[in-house]
Amino acid sequence: MSRSRGVLRGSPARRRAIAAAALALPVLLGTAPPAVAAEDEDTIDDPAPPARMSTIGGELLGRSGTQVKLLDGAPRLPRTTCRAWIVADADSGDVLAAKNAHWPLAPASTIKMLFADTLLGSLDKEQSYLVDPADFVDMGAGSSRVGIADGQTYTVDQLWYGVFLASGNDAVYALTALNGGKEKTVRQMNERAEELQAMDTRVVNPDGYDGPGQVSSAYDLTLFARAGMRDEDFRRYASTATYDFPGAVEEDEQDEDEDGPDGDGGSSTGGEDPRRGDGPEKPPKRPTYQIQSTNRLLVGDSGLDPYKGIMGVKNGYTSKAGFTYTGMAERNGRTLIATCMNPEDDDRLRVYKETAALFDWGFTAAGKVEPVGELVPSLTELAEQEAQEAEKNGKDAGDGEDGEDRGLAEAAGEKDGSSGGPVGTVTLLSTTTALMVGLLAGAWLLGRRRRGRNRPLRVYVMPKRPDRPSGG
């Protein structure tokens, strides 16, 4: 399923124009971006959030500690131990509550959401991959695996199930090889994060394996989940509980299928020789084994029931990141996204229990809290919105009380053989669009402050929970 990745990133000329406008705008306004000290990579291990964090999505989201605005009758927040968390409305983008939302922390395998969102649209699901051991030399020791075997062939579709269900780093590196290698894939993931305004994220390894300076935040992971779950294939993989993954075909079994039981390439019962093109070739019979999703809110576990209305998305664990999780759930027509990162103890189920508690609170608190921020749209969505507004404003200006001025302009146009009215309108549109894009880029460079509540950025309504496939 191909998807357009955006006006801004896809056009070098547009990127250069926006960058120039962004650099020029602070000078025109008599302001300059605040200086930000470079942070040491080791600070991601600090037990406390940094003194200064991003304010993308709202000023309150850049503060440390819990942020919530309870109204009369609102339920109290549940007790949580995660270093950072967020719960937001997937449809409106309203952030209902958060704690250290922009704290850059190791993401573990939750970064696979960004990997999938980046690559899903560019790889054909039916494309085949023949395993080459050289494609896995960068995979970290002790990585989670789905069980890809040397010399075997897998489809892209099968590999995606390995990524989502088994969190297989081997499946990630197989897809990475098909995409052109690790360097290219990591670059594209960082570019995609920038396009989504996920500015706390820096990708080093495509699978989430701990690496120097590899970080994301609860806010950014929530953006990745929201963007990814818009894609039909992404939702299907993320909502699948079990799948029959292809096993390895032993070499002697392949030889038997190729040569036949009599060793002459034919059937022991006679008939057509597939090598002569007289009949359809029969591929070797391939065994399968069942893999189950590691998302415990989807499949449950001892002492933990599957969460009612869960739609996905992704969990992770490394020694540096601890347990991390981003989930999406729907109840009574309302869809929430919640992310939790690194709870206090080593209980492997605590991150799910705390996420479930935040979901319960969010569904109960609907209409009883003031948002503390928003999930911002992508740069492409912003540009499209501003262009639509500029076009609308241009039309409104053309239809306003400027008939006399338009008449003079049209008259002037008639004298020199040109059409004054349309030229004036185009000039107005071009000027307005340039101004809006410049303001947009400058605001992004300076750090976007939360937009007025009278202009909600409702750019997408999440689909209802899909039917869960049986066996993949």
Side-chain angles (χ1 to χ4, degrees), residues 297-298 305-311 328-332 356 359-360 363 465 468:
L297 286 191
L298 180 65
D305 293 330
Y307 190 80
K308 181 181 179 181
I310 193 69
M311 301 170 68
M328 179 178 286
E330 186 270 337
R331 187 179 298 174
N332 298 325
F359 274 140
D360 288 342
F363 287 122
R465 183 186 183 192
R468 180 182 301 171

Side-chain angles (χ1 to χ4, degrees), residues 422-435:
V423 171
T425 302
V426 170
T427 302
L428 174 61
L429 284 172
S430 300
T431 303
T432 305
T433 301
L435 178 60

Side-chain angles (χ1 to χ4, degrees), residues 385-398:
Q385 289 176 7
E386 300 298 353
Q388 291 172 1
E389 291 180 7
E391 182 178 1
K392 181 179 182 299
N393 291 338
K395 290 180 178 179
D396 290 344

Side-chain angles (χ1 to χ4, degrees), residues 306-318:
Y307 190 80
K308 181 181 179 181
I310 193 69
M311 301 170 68
V313 179
K314 192 70 190 77
N315 57 294
Y317 172 80
T318 66

Side-chain angles (χ1 to χ4, degrees), residues 73-85:
R76 296 185 62 179
L77 279 168
R79 180 184 180 276
T80 58
T81 65
C82 289
R83 284 187 170 192
W85 57 261

